[in-house]
Amino acid sequence: MKFLGNVIATVIGIFVFIMLFFFGVILIGAIFGGDDSVSVKSDSVIELNLKNIRNDYAGKYKDPWVTVFSDQKGIGLTDVINAIEAAKTDDKIKGISILNDESSLGLAQYKDLRNALESFKKSGKFVWAYANTYSQKEYYLNSVANTVYLNPAGDLDFKGLSSEVMFFKDFQDKSGIHMEVIRHGKYKSAVEPFLENKMSDANREQVTALLNSIWATVSSDISKSRNIPLPRLNEIANGLLARTPELAKANGLVDIVAYEDVYHNAIKKALKVTGDDDYNKISIDDYTQNNVTTALTNIETDQIAIIYAQGEIEGGEGDVNVIGEGSMRRALQEARKDDDVKAIVLRIDSPGGSALTSDLIWREIEVTKKVKPVVVSMGNYAASGGYYIACNANKIFAESNTITGSIGVFGILPNFSPLANKLGINTEQVKTHENSANYSPFVPVDEKFKAFTLEGVEHIYNTFVTHVAEGRKMTFAQVDAIAQGRVWSGTEALKIGLVDKIGGLNDAIAEAAKIAKIKTYSTQNYPEYEKTLGDVFSNLPFAQSKEAFIKEEIGEENYLLIEQVKKLQKQKGVQAMMPFGINIK
């Protein structure tokens, strides 16, 4: 038996040694390996397809093992925009081809990208676009091109904007699953889906105003790029007058209806490529990676820290999709203590989340602001908790189609006591003191508990409004009048004093440099996340197979509904969240 045990131990030892050797080689190769850059040939065209770009910031990790196995390619939209800026003066780049672009990026991010492409065009280089089909969002980006192609068998979606809100009151009554809502008195729209069967007039008014404001930005940009008057664009949207390739061309939304090979042949002709030779191409991913590598070697002494806050606000460490207290506070502290960092830009793309975590991040910004200027750049969203962490910055920039505001807080407690009664389940509590029992979803909500919780909600709301009033140099009453959970577009937020200027991330960086009184500088991205291999492996494809299977079986819309319920179940404490999930179509 001892011999057999020794053999097994030896085999296990050899196996462990091989695995450690294998992963060690991978790690060493990743850290010290050769150059992954792709050479850029003369007369090249950048192919812009953003399907691999999910966020402004792709993230950095303290643990090199996590970097090796992460599914992130290390490229964010900010890197792409910087690469496009660099391409303006790159003699090897002759133009950009937006080819069958499909992306999960939002309208405010597209606005920033559009501005970069407009600037690129001014260098004298071309931007062309081709797609088999254009969704409305993709067309918004592609319309910036000098020449827009569309497949003869394709279509173009151009019909204006819409949004939908689901209501759950009847579902609660029928199922016995009830959501106990505890909210600030006038803060209605956030919890309206649990209290009503239809949208209130006030809520409809704010959603309509928001959509109209965003549409004004989208249509104005398209109007300028395509040289189509705004009234005519609205006629085209109302009448669906771009629904076929022929109609889209006749009404000026596209220039040429042709197949993709015709598009590529036209680029060859423009580049004076003859015969059967293809023209030189480089993907935006590769070109951006090259530019990032170059930027790492060109670091100025004076720096501006860009701290990215992406996703819902939660406790814990956070990652590229979740704003966590740990990574955000650590990033602010590191940037604050670094003598080379002269100013900080906080890039926010968040619908909000935990009120407590929002306040902790707000406090870290307040401390930081006393040492170095902090400028906020808002992306697609900076609403509720997202606005909470922005309100005390020295300056706030938003895109015109950013969704912001939503200054309000609420609490939602799932209660299953009606369902339990239907099923014949009775729950009783034994306690030593009047208020010693924790909240139970299987017992009707005690009115005293509800009163105490409401008191907490009111306290957080008052704190939130006070922070905004102090940060924006307004009175409590002035903020309260535009708060109550109402959402505003960036354009509207500028008029009512919630933001200072309309502009993108680069505008915010320039403002930060101006306040810090520096002329030459480089930028450094934060946060650097403290993740383990276990965290990374949970996101690998084989771990996501269940999610993909469920989507396939029940459909995307039903899956999103389930995810919404799961999010509600995970929420703890009072929330400073967007009043509803806005899915603009």
Side-chain angles (χ1 to χ4, degrees), residues 41-113:
K41 300 177 181 178
S42 298
D43 297 331
S44 286
V45 174
I46 296 173
E47 287 197 343
L48 185 70
N49 190 319
L50 302 168
K51 65 179 180 180
N52 294 324
I53 310 299
R54 304 185 189 95
N55 300 298
D56 291 322
Y57 175 52
K60 294 188 294 186
Y61 302 94
K62 288 184 177 293
D63 186 344
W65 281 106
V66 175
T67 302
V68 171
F69 291 101
S70 172
D71 64 346
Q72 299 288 333
K73 288 198 68 171
I75 297 173
L77 180 62
T78 302
D79 300 314
V80 169
I81 290 173
N82 290 337
I84 291 172
E85 179 67 22
K88 287 165 51 177
T89 55
D90 187 340
D91 293 337
K92 294 181 179 180
I93 298 298
K94 299 303 179 185
I96 294 176
S97 167
I98 311 175
L99 186 61
N100 283 315
D101 177 56
E102 295 180 3
S103 169
S104 59
L105 297 173
L107 287 172
Q109 291 169 310
Y110 267 9
K111 172 70 174 173
D112 224 0
L113 184 57

Side-chain angles (χ1 to χ4, degrees), residues 336-353:
R336 184 171 72 233
K337 295 173 183 177
D338 188 337
D339 292 336
D340 291 336
V341 173
K342 305 304 181 185
I344 294 167
V345 172
L346 181 63
R347 173 68 171 184
I348 302 173
D349 193 353
S350 172

Side-chain angles (χ1 to χ4, degrees), residues 170-177 416-425:
D170 281 350
F171 169 77
Q172 294 177 105
D173 294 340
K174 291 177 181 179
S175 67
I177 300 173
F416 308 119
S417 58
L419 175 62
N421 289 334
K422 286 181 181 181
L423 298 174
I425 300 172

Side-chain angles (χ1 to χ4, degrees), residues 163-168 189 192-193 199 203 207 579-582:
S163 182
E164 60 184 33
V165 180
M166 288 186 287
F167 292 83
F168 305 101
S189 59
E192 192 175 83
M199 188 178 287
N203 196 5
V207 175
F580 40 80
I582 295 183

Side-chain angles (χ1 to χ4, degrees), residues 182 326 358 429 443 486 549 580:
I182 302 173
S358 299
Q429 294 179 323
V443 175
R486 173 151 184 177
F549 174 77
F580 40 80

